[in-house]
Amino acid sequence: MSSSCTGLSRVLVAVATALVSAASSCPQAWGPPGVQYGQSGRSMTLCCPGVTAGAPVSWSRDGETRLLQGPDSGLGHELVLALADSTDEGTYICRTLDGALGGMVTLQLGYPPARPIVSCRAADYENFSCTWSPSQVSGLPTRYLTSYRKKTVPGADGQRVSPSTGPWPCPQDPPGATRCVVHGAEFWSQYRINVTEVNPLGASTRLLDVSLQSILRPDPPQGLRVESVPGYPRRLRASWMYPASWPRQPHFLLKFRLQYRPVQHPAWSMVEPAGLEEVITDAVAGLPHAVRVSARDFLDAGTWSAWSPEAWGTPSTGPLPKEIPAGGKPYTQPKEKPQMDSPAPPRPSLLPDPRPLDHRDPLEQMAVLASLGIFSCLGLAAGALALGLWLRLKPDGKDGHQKPGFLAPMIPVDKLPGAPNL
């Protein structure tokens, strides 16, 4: 019962406030003192700020001697402008019957607020921000009220939303900016954002439902570097780092995609690296290349980040480098005389091998070859058996008499037709 009374009292207060505002022909000041706001194309009523309500005054435009309205108009301290437009904007002066200055009013016209355009984005899995812009320029001083609450799924018994779900204010960062930030959000929860545009002619609200996993879009990777690989004229090594805004946790990782192209070519090639670096193996020798990289949640939540700033690199054109030890002289392997009795194992080279590496296991190769040999023998044996059976069963086409088949020797001679009985 108490909750019903509280709700009814709130409704009555709102109605009373609306009635008071409607009954007041001169609206309260909104913004700097002495400025009055109105809507273009509507009638406006100006009030002389320095006199008692109802006292007769005369009105004129600032810088003009012609009276717009005399004290005998019967409108007291008010000035009515029918269908005000941009030509009516400016400063108006009101004077009392004795010619004393009653006050000055500056008229500024505009439009009521419209529902703002709101979008939200999460740069990590703990915080998100929302930005907005007006869908219609009002031409009047405007401010925004921002709040949010966590959405809950109502139960079967229609339970009311608990107080722990908000609403809470969404702080604008910095104050007065068209951006607010929600800290400490839950990754699997849904939120309702409320952005209300307010100006002297009214207010308009936009509600937006968001979930953190759907608006997740990391910042671009940082520290992109592109280096040549000495001795390899078609290779470039690119490396980068996680964006600083992404917390490094083992259960929330990022995956990456990398694009590269020679600077003279408009088309990009793309690969998806497995870590924080990638070796490009098909670069064009002698040409500088542009490289960029973007990031996304490892489990494909949200969308890809924007591309990082491009970094440039040119493949190496020199020969393979030689390892130089600490002494400063390049190492040369001493020549040894070959010994036929006990050949010494060759000393491993310190130079990189330019030939492609074969990562296959020798035992695996031998097993594959043995399997192929066994299957080949079985195939040949099956083919020989099939050929022998076909030759046995093939009829003789030279005379009309058919030779007995391979089952003839198994039939007793005394059972053959025409054989004498012994």
Side-chain angles (χ1 to χ4, degrees), residues 19 161 241 253 323 377:
L19 291 176
V161 178
M241 298 183 297
L253 301 177
E323 295 287 343
C377 292

Side-chain angles (χ1 to χ4, degrees), residues 306-384:
W307 290 104
S308 67
E310 295 181 3
W312 285 20
T314 304
S316 173
T317 57
L320 288 172
K322 296 182 179 181
E323 295 287 343
I324 300 178
K329 296 181 179 180
Y331 171 78
T332 56
Q333 184 176 354
K335 297 182 179 179
E336 297 181 359
K337 297 181 179 181
Q339 300 179 3
M340 302 301 296
D341 297 336
S342 58
R347 184 168 183 172
S349 174
L350 299 178
L351 298 179
D353 189 358
R355 295 173 298 176
L357 297 179
D358 190 358
H359 297 283
R360 292 177 295 180
D361 191 355
L363 294 178
E364 181 181 354
Q365 296 179 359
M366 293 179 61
V368 171
L369 293 177
S371 301
L372 292 176
I374 293 174
F375 282 114
S376 299
C377 292
L378 292 177
L380 291 175

Side-chain angles (χ1 to χ4, degrees), residues 41 92 101 144 155 169 218 251 328 365:
Y92 293 80
L101 179 63
Y144 294 90
H251 49 283
Q365 296 179 359

Side-chain angles (χ1 to χ4, degrees), residues 105-359:
V105 179
T106 300
L107 176 62
Q108 183 177 346
L109 300 177
Y111 299 94
R115 291 198 302 172
I117 301 172
V118 183
S119 61
C120 297
R121 169 180 171 263
D124 57 67
Y125 53 86
E126 295 177 342
N127 314 284
F128 69 92
S129 62
C130 296
T131 58
W132 56 88
S133 61
S135 58
Q136 173 183 307
V137 178
S138 66
L140 300 176
T142 303
R143 59 174 176 257
Y144 294 90
L145 306 177
T146 53
S147 63
Y148 74 98
R149 68 176 180 87
K150 186 168 69 172
K151 294 185 64 178
T152 57
V153 179
D157 54 353
Q159 295 180 352
R160 299 181 63 184
V161 178
S162 62
S164 61
T165 60
W168 302 288
C170 183
Q172 300 176 15
D173 184 24
T178 58
R179 176 178 180 266
C180 72
V181 182
V182 176
H183 297 283
E186 298 176 0
F187 187 76
W188 303 109
S189 298
Q190 291 189 344
Y191 295 87
R192 171 162 290 179
I193 309 300
N194 183 327
V195 179
T196 301
E197 181 178 326
V198 183
N199 72 12
L201 302 183
S204 184
T205 298
R206 169 78 70 178
L207 299 177
L208 180 64
D209 294 337
V210 299
S211 62
L212 203 62
Q213 55 182 325
S214 64
I215 62 174
L216 183 62
R217 191 187 187 197
D219 289 330
Q222 298 177 345
L224 176 61
R225 297 178 58 187
V226 181
E227 300 172 332
S228 62
V229 181
Y232 294 89
R234 298 201 63 188
R235 295 189 181 184
L236 288 171
R237 178 180 290 107
S239 60
W240 57 90
M241 298 183 297
Y242 268 63
S245 59
W246 187 270
R248 295 296 299 270
Q249 297 292 339
H251 49 283
F252 283 101
L253 301 177
L254 292 176
K255 65 179 182 178
F256 304 93
R257 60 180 180 177
L258 180 142
Q259 285 188 340
Y260 60 97
R261 63 176 176 87
V263 293
Q264 293 90 344
H265 295 260
W268 293 89
S269 300
M270 187 171 67
V271 294
E272 292 195 8
L276 293 174
E277 66 175 10
E278 177 70 12
V279 176
I280 300 170
T281 59
D282 59 349
V284 181
L287 293 183
H289 287 66
V291 180
R292 61 185 184 180
V293 64
S294 66
R296 187 178 184 177
D297 175 74
F298 187 75
L299 297 179
D300 290 333
T303 57
W304 285 97
S305 73
W307 290 104
S308 67
E310 295 181 3
W312 285 20
T314 304
S316 173
T317 57
L320 288 172
K322 296 182 179 181
E323 295 287 343
I324 300 178
K329 296 181 179 180
Y331 171 78
T332 56
Q333 184 176 354
K335 297 182 179 179
E336 297 181 359
K337 297 181 179 181
Q339 300 179 3
M340 302 301 296
D341 297 336
S342 58
R347 184 168 183 172
S349 174
L350 299 178
L351 298 179
D353 189 358
R355 295 173 298 176
L357 297 179
D358 190 358
H359 297 283

Side-chain angles (χ1 to χ4, degrees), residues 48 50-51 92-96 98-104:
C48 186
V51 300
Y92 293 80
I93 300 175
C94 57
R95 299 181 181 275
T96 59
D98 56 359
L101 179 63
M104 301 177 66

